[in-house]
Amino acid sequence: MEQRTFPTPSPGTTVPAAEPARVAPHVPPRTLRARRRRPAVIAMAVAMVAAGGLGGAVLYNSTGQRIAVLALARDVPAGQAIAAEDLVVARIASDPALRPLDATDRSRTIGLRASRDLKRGGLLLKADVTGDSLVEAGQTVAGVAVKRTQLPATRLTPGTRVLVVSTPDNGPNGTVRTPETLTVKVVAVGKVDTDGSQVVDVALPLADGPKLAAWVAGGKIQIILAPRTDGAAATAPTPAPSGSAG
């Protein structure tokens, strides 16, 4: 057996005290730590599921309250009859401040006239359409073929009152013939042809129909906007004696 000798400390020498043994910290097993965290994870998961369910319920309720209404698929000028191609069905959230026409009113809306200029993408309201006829009792409809230079720069729309002015040539010996005027209401505006002409349908008293037809045949006419008097359409000026027109 091996023997070891240690030097004997001399008198007066302090012998260092032995350090106390260090106790290692107790580390719980991994399975125990996982068990301690699991309730918190479960609680968080439950809260997330509950929040998701609440959001889904709100989304479902908001979707369930949407209603089908009529909207404009394209621009419709004031006075023009509404066609099936002008309408689309839109689904919007129910709002008491909005009163658009219901989608079930589609068939009853087609054929009605726009009471104002309607823009594509807007909702169609009850006040936007009217069933009033442009042709009154005792009136007839005549087509007036004109070129661009015979029309005002302002776009004509159905329901607009205009004056059709006869501009005859001067009579013999340079006699100036007084122009005659008829006040009419625009019923429809045709498309511009390749030669720049177009036909404007107008409503006027039946008795004035032959006169207007003669003016149109001669081609000496001009269409101008009727003046307004206190917001009402102007009445037809008194025509010149029939003998003054050629």
Side-chain angles (χ1 to χ4, degrees):
M1 175 180 293
E2 179 182 4
Q3 295 182 355
R4 295 184 179 180
T5 59
F6 297 90
T8 304
S10 59
T13 302
T14 303
V15 179
E19 296 181 359
R22 295 183 179 180
V23 180
H26 176 71
V27 179
R30 181 177 299 178
T31 55
L32 180 59
R33 283 181 291 171
R35 289 177 182 176
R36 289 178 179 177
R37 288 199 303 265
R38 187 170 300 171
V41 174
I42 294 176
M44 182 180 298
V46 171
M48 293 178 64
V49 171
L54 180 60
V58 172
L59 178 61
Y60 175 80
N61 290 334
S62 62
T63 304
Q65 294 177 356
R66 291 184 175 271
I67 57 176
V69 297
L70 293 178
L72 279 304
R74 55 187 181 184
D75 294 348
V76 180
Q80 180 173 303
I82 296 177
E85 296 78 11
D86 298 329
L87 302 176
V88 293
V89 176
R91 300 191 68 86
I92 65 171
S94 178
D95 189 339
L98 299 176
R99 296 183 180 274
L101 289 175
D102 194 87
T104 57
D105 297 325
R106 181 187 180 96
S107 59
R108 293 188 293 270
T109 303
I110 296 174
L112 299 179
R113 294 186 300 106
S115 59
R116 62 182 182 88
D117 288 338
L118 305 179
K119 299 300 181 181
R120 178 173 178 253
L123 299 179
L124 188 64
L125 308 180
K126 185 176 181 181
D128 293 337
V129 295
T130 178
D132 296 339
S133 175
L134 291 175
V135 183
E136 302 173 3
Q139 290 187 331
T140 187
V141 176
V144 181
V146 290
K147 295 182 178 181
R148 187 62 195 144
T149 55
Q150 296 173 285
L151 293 170
T154 303
R155 179 173 56 89
L156 298 181
T157 57
T160 303
R161 289 191 176 273
V162 297
L163 303 179
V164 180
V165 182
S166 171
T167 57
D169 295 329
N170 292 335
N173 301 324
T175 303
V176 178
R177 294 179 175 178
T178 304
E180 296 186 70
T181 304
L182 289 176
T183 301
V184 298
K185 183 191 297 183
V186 177
V187 175
V189 180
K191 296 182 179 180
V192 179
D193 293 334
T194 55
D195 61 353
S197 64
Q198 65 183 131
V199 176
V200 180
D201 287 348
V202 298
L204 72 166
L206 182 60
D208 293 331
K211 180 187 294 185
L212 178 59
W215 293 355
V216 174
K220 302 293 184 177
I221 57 174
Q222 192 77 24
I223 294 181
I224 63 176
L225 296 176
R228 294 177 178 272
T229 304
D230 298 332
T235 58
T238 304
S242 57
S244 63

